[in-house]
Amino acid sequence: MKEFEFLSVFVSMIIALGISNILSSAMRLIRRRGRVRMHVTTLVWMVVLFLLQVLIWWVAFQRREWTNWTFFRFLLYLLMPILVSVPGYLLVPEIELELEPTYDLEREFNHNRKWFFAMLAAMGIVSFVEYALRSGPLKLGLSNVFPLVIIALCVGGFVIRAKWVQLLIALTFLVTLLCYIGLVFARL
């Protein structure tokens, strides 16, 4: 077994848990739709988090050729799926949805908004640092500009509470992510 194969198992487990959470949250929302006050922004973020986790898994394949793994390099890479998985648990907590007679996704989003954006911004920072360490001197390109866009959107989401701005940030993030995937990762 090569180093990459060994290390990718752990990354895959974290991604699988994150995707499982997003999908099971979506199914719980559908099952309890009569008791849940839906929030479009939360639903958009659920799609974004799903796509980010799939993207992290997809990008992991590019690391198969690395031969100089260190514990700290792996830990840095491992932070990305962690920092994308945890915000999903902030969007739709399991216990509250099961126990409360009614549930307001917008209230929950606003309650956890700063933590949500702090973790996504941290993922952008880790992605930028990991790319810089992997690629050497920074060249301006989509792979290192995208994390900066993520960070900027997260700062806006952290600071501005207005409902329409939050929806605009979520939609901008989704469109940016889809464009990034289409331009950079259409093929492996």
Side-chain angles (χ1 to χ4, degrees), residues 110-127:
N110 288 326
H111 178 70
N112 292 318
R113 177 178 55 88
K114 290 187 175 185
W115 282 99
F116 178 83
F117 284 114
M119 287 187 201
L120 279 184
M123 187 274 305
I125 292 167
V126 168
S127 176

Side-chain angles (χ1 to χ4, degrees), residues 80-98:
M80 285 189 282
I82 291 170
L83 292 169
V84 172
S85 295
V86 171
Y89 290 92
L90 295 174
L91 288 175
V92 186
E94 297 173 27
I95 297 295
E96 289 87 345
L97 190 60
E98 299 294 330

Side-chain angles (χ1 to χ4, degrees), residues 33-98:
R33 64 191 173 276
R35 298 180 356 193
V36 176
R37 183 173 165 252
M38 293 294 178
H39 181 232
V40 175
T41 304
T42 296
L43 301 177
V44 172
W45 280 118
M46 288 173 72
V47 171
V48 166
L49 292 176
F50 173 81
L51 290 173
L52 279 172
Q53 291 173 76
V54 172
L55 178 61
I56 289 169
W57 180 78
W58 185 264
V59 170
F61 189 71
Q62 292 180 338
R63 276 112 175 123
R64 72 190 180 283
E65 302 300 326
W66 285 9
T67 56
N68 57 348
W69 284 99
T70 66
F71 179 79
F72 294 105
R73 190 174 206 181
F74 176 67
L75 192 58
L76 186 65
Y77 181 63
L78 188 62
L79 278 174
M80 285 189 282
I82 291 170
L83 292 169
V84 172
S85 295
V86 171
Y89 290 92
L90 295 174
L91 288 175
V92 186
E94 297 173 27
I95 297 295
E96 289 87 345
L97 190 60
E98 299 294 330

